[in-house]
């Protein structure tokens, strides 16, 4: 029995290492802390594992690049993939499992039967729907059929990545295959969606760990996204926010502002319209390993209305503006004196005065009453009313 | 009826003059003016400018709680940047910096919820009125949009939606649409991280303000809290190190403008008595003149007929 | 040389003259702009802002110009209280100027309020705020226009009705007129009480603003000053209208009436000036008049425009010369209007850094409302027997019995 000290390498293997209790506790503590679960949760995770309750996980791949799986493998706290697999029982995963062909199919069916109603279905990738879904088939079965079949007896369904959450890049216009998120296909079923391209792996880990520890899923928003990860926009917790508030922007790639790490809003950052937690969790456990940290604006990979739709360098709309770093003065000037209006007013005033003066000049003599009848006029002067 | 015109005239004119002048000099009268006392359960805010860090969390919070469209000012859509209270901004944090920079202070501007508001006194239809707990509320069903409240308010608070066909008067109403149902305090006090602005009963807030003043004598400006007596007292109080006038709070005596107007109108009108009495006197005089006039006209006509040799 | 005005005449001049068309165009344009204002917001049409919430419509068309429209009131007081019978020939003219002055003032007020649909509540006294001066102005002005002014202006109209040739209508006209004769004192007394209430209340309006009105104007005596100035401007308006009319249509020059109007106006103005002086001294703000900042300058200009004509009109020789009478009255009018206008606007100092100047549309609307008053006046004097004329003027139709008793 040995503890792997090299925590940075994730080995894609289904080896179960027996860790001593102390090391195991340490790892669980790290894992739960990394995802923001409290120490009581850690205790529950431990208890759950010791009881031998390791929920079965069936992981399906559809129209995807396998990026979500790949990022998942690049986590280290929990340290190793096998620690994760000590907490769950990964019964089907096309990328990681050793089996292939019919053996794999049989393993899938066996897992479904054995854990019917209790396994967690994780879906990676979009599912084509055009022409009955013929654009993606495994073993001559369409993705549509596969997902419906496996989801039928799943205990919980998690869609990882933007593709599975809402269609992702396969669904970009004109969407020739009719790629769709799994929640649209499984109407009526509750699907936890974890959008992102790739999704941040710790969000999946957090969701799974909570499920393992408490037997229930985290609080979700109206799109099925866990609020703990998607409750705020990038803009709301971006390390460059102070630059935004102060009006310090990078105007071009490579300019002075860009080099000084100023806000990337003017380069098209979609942070204000993107709900995600990349600025907090980041990727690959390298500091600043996320788009903005690397100096490229966020392109809104989690949002269906933004990613692969809005041009990457087009500025985002700011739906909930906040004050900048400057303040209103005690008495800001208000009101406007139109020069045209003063001219018109002056003209009218002058005209009236002038008219008055001219009228008075014609008043040299007292008016004599006219004693003659004016010529009869043609105006409608009739008294017939 | 043979009314002695001269006497009636004298009495009438004299009465009118006396009433007019008495009404005009009402403020000299020793009789106590009609002051309004704060309600027992009056609520308000205490804003301590020395605790405010200018984070402005209260501004988006107010916008959200009141469903206001943010005023993006001149920021090309980037920021919430009102430079004044307006029809989209009920609450504003301003910054005062002395010309030589030797002192600075933040100032939170919102409706002061006066004890005896001028706006309530002036509003012809009671659209602006005192709600329970002394909150000054606005009722869209009664307002005719005359904007007298904007003329009356010494703090220049009520704002008007000039660019709408269905314009409202917009001002802080201490989140009265939320308190009692979903909230226990206004949005601004709920999010303030330093408790620079707090909500509570006016009597409690005054006590707290005095406690702070006592705790640090000479720290707060003139060792007093603004709003205790100004303009008859306000329910939203302000504590500051710098002169209140520099923060945009006008210097006011203890008498509210509303009570000054009430005194003048009370004396002039004496309820409705004066106009009715004058009316009666005038009817008597005019009747007398009218009869005379008719007589005159009759005489003239007879003269005319005589001169023309006509007999009717 | 002067000819007494002994009758009221209907002018037989053509209606659609060039000036009439010009005023009609201005008035029509203003009405179109009113429609524009109703479908957009006040902010698009005026230069008003949150600091200066009242602009040309309320401050000029209502506060200032309805003082000009107090001619009917002022002359009626002279005729019916002080028993100056000589003013009867000009009564119809005076009350007509009141009607058009107040009518267009109410139109301006209606165009100015932001939420006019809520006016309906005004019929329910439960919603009234009894302490509100503005309510008093609104209710009183409306009552005055609907009741008193309409009553006072009915005789010429009834006269026409009587002459229409239709026996039914003639009978109706006489019936109504007899009712008017019977109830005359009650209506006229109303026509005295109501305007004294609201003309003084127009002054009290700004009293609520307290220190926001410059101390040279802010005073608890504002109601009294506004009321007196309303009398002065009422006389002035009637004088100006009569002088212009007599030169336009050869009505004759009634020295007695015009001279009397002028001297009463002069005495009233001097009385007003004395009261002002006492008030300023009493409030201890006299020295503010000489600081020569913009407030002091406006005050001095205003005072000079009022004082000089008032003094000058004490001289009988100046009163007898039409040109001088006209110019002096015009100057006094400008000064008086300025006095009524200033506390609401120029001397109004809202908190903060606000500036206001009316927008072009606002100015055109305001001018158009006044043009409308002129249009209605011109129409009326050519359709009804209103203007006074000497007995020698036979060119126009005279008022007839019994209607000419009023």
């Amino acid at each position: 029995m040995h503890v792997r000290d090299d925590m940075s390498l994730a080995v894609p293997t289904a080896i179960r290492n027996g860790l001593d209790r102390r090391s195991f506790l340490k790892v669980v503590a790290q894992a739960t802390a990394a995802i923001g679960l409290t120490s009581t949760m850690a205790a529950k995770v431990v208890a759950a594992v010791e009881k031998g309750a390791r929920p079965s996980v069936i992981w399906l791949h559809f129209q995807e690049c396998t990026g979500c799986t790949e990022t998942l493998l690049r986590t280290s706290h929990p340290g190793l993939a096998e620690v994760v697999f000590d907490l769950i029982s990964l019964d089907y995963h096309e990328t990681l499992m050793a089996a292939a062909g019919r053996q794999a199919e049989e393993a899938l069916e066996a897992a479904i039967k054995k854990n019917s109603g209790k396994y967690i279905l994780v879906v990676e990738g979009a599912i084509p729907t055009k022409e009955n879904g013929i654009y993606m088939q495994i073993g001559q079965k369409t993705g549509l059929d596969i997902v419906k079949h496996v989801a039928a007896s799943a205990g919980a369904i998690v869609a990882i990545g933007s593709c599975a959450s809402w269609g992702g890049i396969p669904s970009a216009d004109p969407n020739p295959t009719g790629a769709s998120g799994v929640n649209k296909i499984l109407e009526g079923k509750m699907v936890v969606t974890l959008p992102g391209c790739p999704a941040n792996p710790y969000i999946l880990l957090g969701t799974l760990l909570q499920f393992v520890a408490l037997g229930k899923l985290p609080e979700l928003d109206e799109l099925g996204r866990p609020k703990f990860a998607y409750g705020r926009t990038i803009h709301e917790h971006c390390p460059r926010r102070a630059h935004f508030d102060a009006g310090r922007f990078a105007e071009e790639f490579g300019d002075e502002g860009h080099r000084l790490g100023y806000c990337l809003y003017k380069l098209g950052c979609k942070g204000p319209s993107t709900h995600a937690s990349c600025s907090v969790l980041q990727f690959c456990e390298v500091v600043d390993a996320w788009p903005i940290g690397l100096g490229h604006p966020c392109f809104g990979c989690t949002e269906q209305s933004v990613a692969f739709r809005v041009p990457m360098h087009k500025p985002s709309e700011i739906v909930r503006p906040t004050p900048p770093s400057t303040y209103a003065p005690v008495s800001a000037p208000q009101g406007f004196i139109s020069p045209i209006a003063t001219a018109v007013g002056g003209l009218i005033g002058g005209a009236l005065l002038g008219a008055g003066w001219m009228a008075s000049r014609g008043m040299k003599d007292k008016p004599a009453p006219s004693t003659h009848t004016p010529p009869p006029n043609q105006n409608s002067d009739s008294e017939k009313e | 009826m043979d009314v002695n015109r001269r006497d009636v005239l004298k009495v009438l004119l004299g009465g009118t003059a006396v009433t007019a002048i008495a009404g005009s000099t009402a403020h000299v009268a020793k009789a106590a003016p009609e002051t309004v006392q704060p309600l027992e359960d009056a609520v308000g805010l205490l804003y301590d400018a020395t605790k405010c860090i200018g984070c402005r969390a209260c501004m988006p919070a107010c916008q959200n709680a009141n469903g206001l469209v943010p005023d993006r000012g001149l920021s090309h859509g980037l920021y919430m940047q009102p430079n004044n209270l307006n029809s989209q901004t009920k609450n504003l944090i301003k910054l005062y910096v002395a010309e030589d920079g030797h002192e600075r202070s933040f100032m939170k501007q919102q409706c002061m919820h006066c004890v005896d508001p001028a706006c309530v006194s002036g509003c012809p239809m009671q659209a602006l009125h005192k709600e329970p707990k002394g909150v000054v509320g606005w009722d869209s069903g009664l307002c005719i949009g005359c904007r007298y409240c904007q003329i009356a308010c010494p703090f220049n608070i009520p704002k008007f939606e000039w660019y709408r066909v269905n314009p409202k008067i917009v001002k802080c109403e201490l989140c009265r649409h939320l308190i009692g149902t979903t909230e226990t305090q206004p949005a601004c006090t709920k999010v303030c991280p330093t408790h620079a602005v707090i909500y509570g009963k006016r009597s409690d807030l005054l006590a707290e303000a005095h406690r702070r003043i006592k705790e640090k004598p000479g720290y707060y400006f003139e060792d007093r809290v603004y709003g205790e007596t100004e303009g008859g007292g306000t329910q939203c109080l302000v504590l500051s190190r710098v002169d209140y006038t520099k923060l945009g709070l006008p210097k006011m005596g203890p008498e509210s403008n509303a009570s000054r107007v009430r005194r003048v109108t009370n004396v002039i009108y004496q309820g409705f008595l004066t106009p009715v009495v004058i009316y009666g006197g005038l009817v008597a005089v005019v009747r007398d003149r009218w009869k005379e006039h008719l007589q005159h006209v009759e005489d003239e006509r007879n003269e005319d007929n005589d001169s023309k040799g006509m007999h009717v | 040389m002067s000819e007494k005005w002994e009758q009221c005449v209907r002018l037989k001049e053509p209606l659609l003259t060039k000036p009439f068309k010009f005023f009609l165009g201005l008035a029509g344009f203003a009405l179109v702009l009113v429609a524009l204002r109703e479908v957009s917001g006040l902010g698009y049409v005026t230069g008003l802002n949150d600091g200066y919430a009242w602009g040309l419509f309320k401050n000029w068309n209502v506060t200032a110009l309805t003082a000009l429209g107090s001619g009917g009131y002022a002359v009626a007081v002279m005729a019916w209280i002080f028993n100056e019978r000589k003013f009867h020939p000009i009564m119809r003219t005076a009350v007509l100027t009141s009607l058009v002055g107040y009518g267009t003032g109410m139109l301006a007020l209606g165009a100015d309020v932001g939420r006019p649909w809520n006016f309906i509540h005004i019929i329910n006294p439960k919603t009234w705020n009894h302490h509100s001066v503005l309510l008093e102005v609104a209710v009183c002005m409306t009552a005055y226009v609907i009741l008193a002014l309409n009553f006072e202006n009915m005789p010429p109209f009834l006269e026409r009705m009587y002459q229409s040739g239709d026996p039914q209508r003639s009978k109706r006209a006489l019936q109504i007129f007899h009712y008017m004769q019977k109830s005359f004192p009650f209506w006229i007394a109303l026509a005295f009480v109501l305007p004294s209430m609201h003309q003084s209340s127009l002054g009290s309006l700004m009293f609520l603003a307290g220190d926001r009105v410059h101390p040279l104007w802010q005073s608890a005596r504002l109601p009294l000053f506004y009321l007196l100035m309303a009398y002065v401007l009422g006389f002035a308006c009637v004088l100006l209208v009569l002088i212009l009319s007599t030169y336009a249509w050869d009505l004759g020059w009634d020295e007695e009436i015009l001279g009397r109007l002028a001297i009463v106006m002069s005495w009233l103005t001097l009385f007003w000036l004395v009261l002002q002086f006492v008030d300023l001294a009493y409030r201890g703000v006299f020295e503010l008049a000489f600081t020569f900042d913009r407030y002091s300058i406006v005050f001095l200009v205003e005072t000079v425009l009022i004082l000089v004509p008032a003094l000058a009109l004490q001289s009988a020789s100046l009163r007898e010369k039409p040109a001088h009478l006209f110019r002096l009255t015009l100057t006094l009018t400008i000064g008086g209007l300025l006095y009524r206008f200033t506390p609401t606007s120029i001397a109004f100092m809202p908190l903060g850094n606000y500036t206001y100047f009316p927008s072009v549309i606002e100015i055109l609307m305001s001018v158009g409302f006044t043009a409308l008053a002129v249009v209605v006046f011109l129409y009326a004097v050519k359709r009804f027997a209103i203007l006074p004329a000497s007995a020698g003027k036979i060119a126009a139709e005279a008022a007839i019995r019994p209607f000419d008793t009023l």
Side-chain angles (χ1 to χ4, degrees):
Chain A
M1 175 198 81
H2 48 273
V3 176
R4 297 208 29 176
D5 285 324
D6 179 12
M7 303 290 241
S8 58
L9 263 180
V11 176
T13 161
I15 303 166
R16 294 204 202 134
N17 282 337
L19 295 171
D20 68 35
R21 189 181 161 72
R22 211 158 156 216
S23 313
F24 177 65
L25 286 174
K26 253 205 232 160
V27 172
V28 168
Q30 273 180 324
T32 47
I35 308 156
L37 298 177
T38 63
S39 46
T40 22
M41 302 293 190
K44 287 196 176 153
V45 171
V46 169
V49 170
E50 288 185 335
K51 253 212 265 179
R54 290 195 296 123
S56 162
V57 172
I58 293 178
W59 191 299
L60 296 180
H61 293 64
F62 296 105
Q63 278 173 315
E64 39 77 37
C65 66
T66 320
C68 294
T69 296
E70 291 293 332
T71 47
L72 189 64
L73 299 176
R74 281 148 182 79
T75 57
S76 60
H77 15 269
L80 308 157
E82 64 264 38
V83 177
V84 172
F85 301 137
D86 271 337
L87 298 171
I88 59 172
S89 172
L90 189 60
D91 291 333
Y92 184 85
H93 192 300
E94 286 161 16
T95 318
L96 300 177
M97 64 190 188
R102 289 222 178 75
Q103 217 181 3
E105 297 288 300
E106 279 158 19
L108 175 60
E109 288 303 318
I112 291 173
K113 274 209 184 61
K114 181 167 166 230
N115 303 293
S116 180
K118 287 185 284 183
Y119 60 84
I120 303 171
L121 168 61
V122 181
V123 179
E124 183 179 350
I127 298 161
T129 54
K130 276 225 178 106
E131 297 180 57
N132 289 320
I134 58 169
Y135 293 106
M136 192 256 139
Q137 298 185 54
I138 300 173
Q140 290 171 351
K141 284 181 253 172
T142 65
L144 267 179
D145 292 336
I146 295 172
V147 77
K148 283 185 187 156
H149 168 62
V150 181
S153 24
I157 307 171
V158 178
I160 182 162
S162 290
C163 297
S165 299
W166 47 265
I169 196 166
S171 72
D173 293 332
N175 199 353
T177 62
S180 164
V182 76
N183 51 2
K184 280 269 163 55
I185 293 177
L186 301 174
E187 294 264 6
K189 285 197 194 277
M190 177 162 79
V191 176
V192 178
T193 59
L194 311 176
C197 189
N200 194 297
Y202 288 105
I203 305 176
L204 176 66
L205 290 174
T207 310
L208 287 178
L209 273 179
Q210 181 161 352
F211 190 71
V212 165
L214 300 175
K216 64 175 185 170
L217 294 166
E219 206 185 330
L220 305 173
D221 69 11
E222 71 278 359
L223 290 175
R225 304 179 296 195
K227 281 187 180 168
F228 76 83
Y230 297 94
R232 290 192 289 177
T233 57
I234 296 285
H235 188 59
E236 283 172 294
H237 51 203
C238 179
R240 299 195 182 193
R241 182 61 185 275
H243 291 302
F244 174 87
D245 286 343
R248 292 185 287 262
F249 299 101
E251 310 271 350
E252 279 181 17
F253 284 106
D255 72 1
E256 182 71 16
H258 194 227
R259 267 195 273 269
L260 288 170
Y262 286 173
C263 173
L264 302 170
Y265 176 78
K266 292 202 175 168
L267 292 174
C269 182
K270 305 295 185 295
S273 16
T274 305
H275 296 84
S277 46
C278 315
S279 64
V280 173
L281 292 177
Q282 292 160 20
F283 289 89
C284 301
E285 291 154 22
V286 172
V287 170
D288 275 345
W290 67 298
I292 291 171
L294 298 171
H296 188 278
C298 163
F299 78 95
C301 70
T302 59
E303 299 286 346
Q304 180 172 19
S305 53
V306 181
F308 318 119
R309 293 221 147 72
V310 181
M312 195 171 284
H313 298 119
K314 182 177 166 195
S316 168
E317 203 201 326
I318 308 211
V319 179
R320 290 185 296 275
T322 51
S325 60
T326 50
Y327 294 88
V330 171
S331 287
Q334 292 247 271
F336 169 67
I337 299 187
S338 153
I340 302 178
T342 30
V344 170
L347 259 166
I348 292 177
L352 285 170
L353 279 174
W357 178 256
M358 292 306 291
S360 72
R361 276 176 45 155
M363 295 179 186
K364 287 285 148 60
D365 306 304
K366 293 205 179 120
S370 55
T371 47
H372 65 277
T373 323
N377 55 68
Q378 283 78 28
N379 271 354
S380 54
D381 219 4
S382 73
E383 288 121 60
K384 309 289 181 283
E385 283 173 31
Chain B
M1 192 171 70
D2 209 0
V3 180
N4 187 332
R5 293 194 289 278
R6 267 227 147 102
D7 292 356
V8 173
L9 252 177
K10 278 190 202 156
V11 167
L12 221 62
L13 280 176
T16 322
V18 163
T19 318
I21 292 172
S24 306
T25 52
H27 82 284
V28 181
K30 286 286 186 229
E34 273 188 38
T35 47
V36 170
Q37 296 301 329
L39 294 171
E40 177 65 39
D41 58 349
V43 292
L45 302 176
L46 172 61
Y47 172 70
D48 191 332
T50 62
K51 291 188 182 222
C52 178
I53 54 172
C55 74
R56 289 166 298 176
C58 53
M59 283 172 65
C62 173
Q63 296 267 317
N64 287 336
N66 285 282
L68 294 167
V69 174
D71 179 3
R72 298 176 196 242
L74 301 168
S75 70
H76 303 292
L78 283 180
Y79 309 118
M80 178 191 293
Q81 198 175 36
N83 63 354
N84 238 316
L85 288 183
N86 54 38
S87 60
Q88 294 168 265
T89 310
K90 294 185 177 186
N91 170 40
L92 179 66
I93 297 289
K94 298 173 161 180
L95 173 62
Y96 158 73
V97 181
E99 253 167 38
D100 54 6
H102 76 276
E103 64 177 2
R104 45 191 286 149
S105 174
F106 291 109
M107 172 63 196
K108 181 175 186 291
Q109 189 185 27
Q110 83 292 310
C111 175
M112 301 296 274
H113 294 279
C114 303
V115 169
D116 188 11
C119 61
V120 170
S121 158
C123 180
M125 307 300 294
Q126 298 183 74
L128 276 168
H129 56 283
K130 290 282 249 184
E131 285 274 315
K133 301 198 183 161
V135 172
V136 178
W138 178 78
D139 183 348
S140 67
L142 289 170
C143 177
I144 56 173
C146 71
R147 311 181 305 280
Y148 194 29
C149 50
Q150 296 192 290
I151 302 289
C153 177
F155 302 100
N156 214 5
I157 296 297
K159 300 297 174 193
F160 190 68
E161 288 183 324
W162 294 102
Y163 294 95
R164 297 196 62 200
V165 181
N166 177 0
K168 298 186 178 45
I169 286 284
V170 177
K171 68 168 196 71
C172 162
E173 297 186 37
L174 284 181
C175 287
R176 66 185 174 105
H177 61 295
L178 295 174
I179 294 185
T181 51
T182 51
E183 302 289 335
T184 54
Q185 57 177 323
C188 54
T189 58
K190 191 174 173 191
V191 300
C192 181
T194 58
H195 300 295
V197 62
I198 53 178
Y199 172 78
K201 277 176 66 170
R202 182 175 188 264
S203 43
D204 295 340
L205 294 173
L206 262 179
E208 170 62 21
H210 288 144
R211 186 192 67 76
R212 292 185 198 181
I213 291 171
K214 203 155 152 217
E215 206 170 43
K216 293 187 187 171
Y219 182 70
Y220 291 106
F221 185 72
E222 286 179 0
D223 278 337
R224 66 183 173 90
V225 52
Y226 185 95
E228 182 163 11
T229 56
E230 274 80 0
T234 61
Q235 288 174 210
C236 291
L237 310 161
V238 180
L239 278 171
S240 149
R241 291 214 70 189
V242 314
D243 187 352
Y244 295 109
T245 50
K246 292 182 183 155
L247 298 180
L249 292 167
K251 219 178 169 81
M252 295 201 286
E255 197 189 359
S256 69
N257 284 333
S259 74
R260 291 169 69 204
V261 169
R262 277 199 299 274
R263 275 190 300 140
V264 170
T265 54
N266 279 348
V267 176
I268 292 181
Y269 289 107
Q270 299 286 21
F272 214 53
L273 200 58
T274 316
V276 170
V277 165
I278 294 182
Y279 179 72
L282 286 172
V283 169
V285 173
V286 173
R287 192 190 271 154
D288 197 45
R289 305 264 186 265
W290 176 236
K291 285 213 172 72
E292 229 188 274
H293 174 70
L294 284 177
Q295 189 58 48
H296 236 260
V297 162
E298 189 64 35
D299 293 343
E300 262 176 26
R301 182 158 64 154
N302 290 341
E303 253 177 54
D304 271 348
N305 290 343
D306 288 341
S307 68
K308 288 175 190 156
M310 285 162 66
H311 298 275
V312 182
Chain C
M1 223 354 242
S2 55
E3 300 76 27
K4 271 180 61 131
W5 285 332
E6 286 178 342
Q7 54 178 341
C8 292
V9 296
R10 170 178 168 259
L11 296 177
K12 278 192 151 167
E13 312 281 334
L15 182 62
L16 296 173
T17 58
K18 266 223 190 84
F20 182 83
K21 287 189 197 154
F22 172 66
F23 287 119
L24 190 63
L26 273 178
F29 188 50
L31 290 175
V32 167
L33 290 175
V34 169
L36 179 71
R37 170 258 169 287
E38 295 300 334
V39 300
S40 54
L42 268 173
Y44 291 113
V45 164
T46 64
L48 297 169
N49 53 49
D50 290 316
Y52 287 92
W54 283 358
L56 221 51
F57 302 146
K58 280 216 170 72
N59 296 334
W60 180 252
N61 288 84
V62 180
T63 304
L65 292 186
T66 54
L68 280 185
S70 298
Y73 173 32
V75 173
V77 167
M78 297 300 293
W80 296 114
I81 306 290
F82 293 97
N83 213 13
E84 302 227 6
R85 291 193 44 78
K86 65 170 81 60
F87 287 125
H88 284 294
I90 64 165
M91 273 309 302
R92 288 188 177 187
T93 312
V95 296
L96 178 64
T97 62
S98 281
L99 183 65
V100 298
Y102 269 85
T104 55
M106 302 290 282
L107 178 63
L109 190 60
D112 182 70
V113 288
R115 300 170 61 87
W117 52 89
N118 276 338
F119 258 133
I120 196 80
H121 294 296
I122 219 152
I123 58 181
N124 174 13
K126 275 222 186 80
T127 61
W128 292 1
N129 171 11
H130 301 277
H131 298 298
S132 170
V133 179
L134 187 62
L135 180 80
E136 200 287 312
V137 172
V139 170
C140 206
M141 252 194 205
T142 315
Y144 179 58
V145 173
I146 293 178
L147 301 174
L149 276 181
N150 276 317
F151 176 85
E152 286 180 301
N153 278 286
M154 285 219 321
F157 179 74
L158 289 175
E159 196 172 74
R160 272 301 273 218
M161 216 168 127
Y162 181 75
Q163 293 173 311
S164 65
D166 174 0
Q168 283 277 45
R169 297 195 68 184
S170 302
K171 199 159 148 221
R172 267 329 289 282
L174 266 179
Q175 277 176 332
I176 299 174
F177 190 73
H178 280 135
Y179 166 73
M180 283 179 72
Q181 288 191 301
K182 280 210 187 68
S183 57
F184 185 78
F186 296 98
W187 290 95
I188 291 301
L190 201 62
F192 292 157
V193 170
L194 290 177
S196 36
M197 281 166 65
H198 66 247
Q199 286 296 338
S200 55
S201 290
L202 280 171
S204 311
L205 273 179
M206 294 318 290
F207 191 51
L208 184 59
D211 293 329
R212 279 141 61 87
V213 177
H214 191 274
L216 276 173
W217 287 269
Q218 182 62 285
S219 159
R221 266 69 59 194
L222 271 176
L224 179 63
F225 294 146
Y226 265 59
L227 181 60
L228 285 175
M229 188 48 77
Y231 291 137
V232 169
L233 289 173
F235 284 127
C237 179
V238 172
L239 259 172
L240 291 173
V241 166
L242 286 172
I243 295 175
L244 286 170
S245 300
T246 194
Y247 274 97
W249 300 301
D250 299 325
L251 302 173
W253 182 266
D254 189 325
E255 181 62 55
E256 226 194 314
I257 293 179
L258 293 170
R260 184 83 184 132
L261 279 174
I263 191 67
V264 170
M265 183 175 76
S266 167
W267 278 117
L268 253 177
T269 313
L270 291 173
F271 180 52
W272 182 91
L273 282 163
V274 166
L275 287 180
Q276 273 273 310
F277 183 85
V278 169
D279 183 64
L280 284 173
Y282 174 75
R283 289 188 295 113
V285 297
F286 206 71
E287 59 267 13
L288 287 179
F290 300 102
T291 57
F292 297 111
D293 61 3
R294 65 172 232 210
Y295 300 108
S296 138
I297 294 190
V298 171
F299 177 80
L300 290 172
V301 166
E302 197 176 89
T303 310
V304 164
L305 287 178
I306 295 174
L307 176 65
V308 169
L311 283 175
L313 284 172
Q314 288 285 313
S315 141
S317 62
L318 280 174
R319 286 199 304 275
E320 280 166 20
K321 295 202 179 62
H324 290 112
L325 180 60
F326 181 79
R327 285 176 200 158
L328 289 169
T329 311
L330 189 59
T331 313
L332 178 57
T333 307
I334 296 171
L337 287 174
L338 194 58
Y339 171 76
R340 298 247 323 187
F341 180 67
T342 307
T344 57
S345 50
I346 304 173
F348 184 64
M349 309 176 297
L351 201 65
N353 199 347
Y354 288 94
T355 47
Y356 162 73
F357 195 82
S359 69
V360 176
I361 299 185
E362 203 177 343
I363 294 176
L364 290 176
M365 282 170 80
S366 177
V367 166
F369 293 140
T370 315
L372 182 62
V374 174
V375 161
V376 175
F377 182 86
L378 287 174
Y379 176 81
V381 299
K382 292 176 181 170
R383 281 283 176 275
F384 305 100
I386 292 181
L387 286 174
S390 54
K393 184 163 178 76
I394 55 167
E397 284 174 29
I400 58 164
R401 289 285 141 82
F403 300 96
D404 66 345
T405 49
L406 276 177

